[in-house]
Amino acid sequence: MSQGNSDVSVEVTPDGIVAHACPVVEVLDRVAGKWSILVLVAAAHGPIRFTELERAVEGISRRMLTLTLRTLERDGLLTRTVHATVPPKVEYAHTPMARELHASLLQLTDWAHRHRTVIQAARAAYDGRTSP
């Protein structure tokens, strides 16, 4: 059987352990993060300011929001626009790639919302069976 290029790079650590760095896994880890999903969903309706995102994403700290926005901008999912006003006005907006991703994120968040009680019941049943 021939092996094709699967776009998986191999890295050998100093202690001789082989690590596979798969770009697909890296992207999914980044995009599927709790805060990334919530920020992308909150930013879906057009340009949004930092404070609006902070209010829209319940439970996120200012620092985590800042880090998440930087990561999403670095990955090409958000654009950051600074308007030359006093005080400066900064807005975040989806890129075309993020708009494409948005439908999938909505399906995921809708699924989680619809099944949250079933999942909680399953956890309680599991915990009841495994508790000493």
Side-chain angles (χ1 to χ4, degrees):
M1 182 193 295
S2 70
Q3 289 183 308
N5 182 357
S6 62
D7 200 23
V8 175
S9 58
V10 176
E11 178 183 325
V12 179
T13 62
D15 53 356
I17 297 173
V18 176
H20 297 276
C22 181
V24 172
V25 172
E26 180 184 342
V27 170
L28 289 175
D29 281 347
R30 193 76 57 78
V31 172
K34 170 185 175 180
W35 298 121
S36 295
I37 291 172
L38 295 175
V39 168
L40 286 169
V41 168
H45 302 292
I48 188 167
R49 297 183 68 179
F50 183 92
T51 53
E52 293 170 318
L53 281 168
E54 193 175 28
R55 284 190 296 265
V57 181
E58 189 175 322
I60 194 167
S61 68
R62 291 180 76 86
R63 173 151 173 72
M64 183 52 67
L65 179 56
T66 299
L67 293 173
T68 303
L69 289 169
R70 285 181 186 163
T71 299
L72 293 171
E73 183 182 8
R74 181 175 182 251
D75 288 346
L77 293 166
L78 288 180
T79 58
R80 179 178 185 264
T81 304
V82 179
H83 299 278
T85 60
V86 177
K89 179 180 174 184
V90 179
E91 292 179 322
Y92 297 89
H94 277 188
T95 63
M97 186 169 50
R99 283 192 291 277
E100 181 182 342
L101 176 63
H102 182 253
S104 298
L105 294 178
L106 277 182
Q107 287 180 331
L108 179 62
T109 55
D110 288 346
W111 177 90
H113 184 72
R114 282 193 322 274
H115 295 289
R116 71 185 186 283
T117 55
V118 176
I119 292 170
Q120 288 171 342
R123 287 176 179 171
Y126 178 87
D127 292 346
R129 290 190 316 263
T130 59
S131 296

